[in-house]
Amino acid sequence: MKKRLIIAIDGYSSCGKSTFAKMIAKELNYIFIDSGAMYRAVTLYCIRRNFIGDEGVNTRDIINELSSINIDFIFNPDTNAHETFMNSENVEIEIRSLGVTSHVSRISQIPEVRTRLVELQRSIGVYKGIVMDGRDIGTVVFPDADIKIFMTASVDIRAKRRFDELNAKGLPVDFEEIRRGIIARDIADENRDISPLRRAEDAIVLDNSRMSVEAQMNWIRDIIDKKINAG
Ligand code: DC
C-alpha cells in the first residue's frame, strides 16, 4: 500500500489555502480538514450564547462551555464536500458570515480554545492520509507533518479574489473594506501570543500571486510524488 501522508498547509487568510488543500485531498483520496472552520464554529457558538459583547469577550464562560461544543465534518454527496457541523447542526454557511469573520480572531486567541481544537485536530490526524489547512498546522498541530506548505500572495490579489468570491455570491462588498480586513487579520494572525502565524523552518513557500490553481497542483504533485516514492 502507498505511504499515506500528513500534509500541512498554512498561510495568510484568503490565499486559497482551502481550495488548494481540498483539491489535493480529492486527488489523493485523503481527508481534508479546514481548521479555520473549527475556530469559526466555536465563534458562532459564542455569538449565539452572547459571550461576545460590546465590552469584550466573556472568556470564563467560553472556557466553561468548551467541552459542550462538538465539531464534526460530514460528507454531503449533493455538494460533494465535507461540511462543518456544530453540535449536530450544519453550520457550514453561517460560519462564513461577516459576523463570525469579524470576531474569530479574538476567539482564536484564547489559549484554552486553541488547546481544545489542537487536541481535536491531532485526533483526526492519527490515521494519516490527511490534508489540513490553517495557521499553525506545520508548527504546532503536526510538527512532524510529511509535507509543509506555507502559502502567501500579495494583499491586493487576495483582496481581489475575496471581492470576486463575495460578489459572485451576490453579497454587498466594498473592495477597500475587504482589503483593510485582510491587513487587520494578517496583523492579528502574526502577532497573537499563542501559536502566531509563522512559517515552519521546513515549510516550502508557495507564493501563488501569479499562479493558476492548475499550476499550483502541478507544483505540489511533484513534491508529493517524491515524498511517497522516498518510502
Ligand atoms: O482560515 P480562516 O480565515 O477560515 O480562519 C478563521 C480564523 O481562525 C482566522 O482568524 C485565523 C484563525 N485560525 C487559527 O488561529 N488557527 C488555525 N489553525 C486556523 C485558523
Side-chain angles (χ1 to χ4, degrees), residues 35-36 39-40 104-105 108 114 134-136 185 189 192:
S35 68
Y39 288 93
R40 287 174 179 273
V104 63
S105 289
S108 61
R114 300 203 74 84
R135 306 293 191 287
D136 59 345
R185 265 193 292 157
D189 284 345
R192 65 166 169 254

Side-chain angles (χ1 to χ4, degrees), residues 42-88:
V42 173
T43 305
L44 176 63
Y45 182 93
C46 295
I47 292 172
R48 287 185 180 171
R49 297 280 290 123
N50 288 322
F51 292 159
I52 305 174
D54 294 339
E55 318 78 53
V57 172
N58 185 343
T59 310
R60 207 191 49 211
D61 284 351
I62 295 174
I63 295 169
N64 279 341
E65 293 201 17
L66 267 182
S67 59
S68 315
I69 311 174
N70 287 309
I71 300 165
D72 295 301
F73 294 97
I74 298 176
F75 187 74
N76 178 347
D78 294 336
T79 56
N80 200 23
H82 281 82
E83 294 177 345
T84 314
F85 281 68
M86 183 185 68
N87 293 341
S88 309

Side-chain angles (χ1 to χ4, degrees), residues 169-222:
K169 285 185 189 162
L171 294 165
V173 278
D174 174 62
F175 181 80
E176 270 315 310
E177 195 182 326
I178 290 176
R179 195 175 179 282
R180 278 196 299 274
I182 286 178
I183 294 171
R185 265 193 292 157
D186 285 357
I187 294 172
D189 284 345
E190 286 179 318
N191 293 292
R192 65 166 169 254
D193 290 336
I194 168 165
S195 304
L197 174 63
R198 291 270 180 281
R199 178 177 83 83
E201 263 178 33
D202 50 349
I204 311 165
V205 176
L206 170 61
D207 181 337
N208 69 4
S209 300
R210 284 170 221 295
M211 274 172 98
S212 65
V213 174
E214 293 75 38
Q216 293 173 59
M217 286 306 292
N218 286 333
W219 177 85
I220 191 84
R221 264 184 211 120
D222 206 40

Side-chain angles (χ1 to χ4, degrees), residues 24-150:
I24 299 170
K26 193 166 175 212
E27 197 161 301
L28 297 174
N29 210 7
Y30 280 14
I31 297 169
F32 157 69
I33 300 290
D34 172 358
S35 68
M38 300 168 92
Y39 288 93
R40 287 174 179 273
V42 173
T43 305
L44 176 63
Y45 182 93
C46 295
I47 292 172
R48 287 185 180 171
R49 297 280 290 123
N50 288 322
F51 292 159
I52 305 174
D54 294 339
E55 318 78 53
V57 172
N58 185 343
T59 310
R60 207 191 49 211
D61 284 351
I62 295 174
I63 295 169
N64 279 341
E65 293 201 17
L66 267 182
S67 59
S68 315
I69 311 174
N70 287 309
I71 300 165
D72 295 301
F73 294 97
I74 298 176
F75 187 74
N76 178 347
D78 294 336
T79 56
N80 200 23
H82 281 82
E83 294 177 345
T84 314
F85 281 68
M86 183 185 68
N87 293 341
S88 309
E89 175 192 349
N90 187 338
V91 291
E92 184 57 39
I93 293 180
E94 213 174 337
I95 58 169
R96 315 281 166 196
S97 67
L98 284 176
V100 170
T101 303
S102 63
H103 293 300
V104 63
S105 289
R106 281 202 284 173
I107 299 302
S108 61
Q109 283 176 31
I110 302 170
E112 288 81 356
V113 170
R114 300 203 74 84
T115 305
R116 166 137 170 94
L117 294 187
V118 168
E119 217 175 79
L120 251 164
Q121 289 151 8
R122 286 190 182 138
S123 71
I124 300 169
V126 289
Y127 299 109
K128 294 221 165 189
I130 181 166
V131 188
M132 191 176 290
D133 82 315
R135 306 293 191 287
D136 59 345
I137 311 305
T139 50
V140 175
V141 182
F142 297 124
D144 296 326
D146 302 282
I147 296 174
K148 297 181 188 177
I149 307 296
F150 188 85

